[in-house]
Amino acid sequence: RLVGSEMCIRDSYETITLENLAKTLGLSVRQTERFLKKYYGKTFQQKKQEARMSAAKIYLTDKRLSITQIAEKLNYSTSQHFTQAFRQHYGITANEYRRQLQDPVD
């Protein structure tokens, strides 16, 4: 169930609901909430946001995509909202992260 839940959230973070995840795992909604809290220490929404931010990091490796395009791909209303969410999650802006990819610190 642990691997199944991780894959489900990672692969369909844009559309998955708690109810869908519960059904996929063969659990009730409440059991699924407890499962996520026990094994990840996070809520369903926190796991979805984590998956979204992981996708952001992958998109940021593609220099052809602007921050605005990435924000759109991740369904943020504005690039500023995306940048704020990225900074809150990782402690640096998306642009700073992208620069670090180009100029890794030894």
Side-chain angles (χ1 to χ4, degrees), residues 85-103:
F86 193 91
R87 178 184 290 165
Q88 185 175 6
H89 193 81
Y90 290 115
I92 61 173
T93 67
N95 279 323
E96 290 169 335
Y97 177 78
R98 187 173 258 176
R99 275 196 294 278
Q100 286 179 2
L101 293 174
Q102 294 170 352
D103 303 318

Side-chain angles (χ1 to χ4, degrees), residues 3-64:
V3 173
S5 66
E6 189 72 28
M7 287 174 53
C8 255
I9 295 169
R10 185 194 66 221
D11 295 343
S12 59
Y13 68 90
E14 297 168 340
T15 57
I16 194 162
T17 64
L18 182 57
E19 292 76 15
N20 291 351
L21 179 60
K23 188 175 182 179
T24 300
L25 297 176
L27 300 171
S28 71
V29 169
R30 184 68 188 122
Q31 287 172 316
T32 302
E33 290 173 324
R34 283 193 293 253
F35 172 82
L36 293 171
K37 200 66 167 164
K38 179 179 179 181
Y39 289 100
Y40 297 111
K42 297 178 181 174
T43 66
F44 175 72
Q45 289 302 325
Q46 288 170 324
K47 285 298 290 175
K48 273 184 70 165
Q49 181 66 2
E50 187 177 84
R52 195 177 194 193
M53 287 293 111
S54 292
K57 278 184 155 183
I58 293 167
Y59 286 135
L60 286 165
T61 64
D62 186 346
K63 297 174 190 170
R64 297 168 298 176

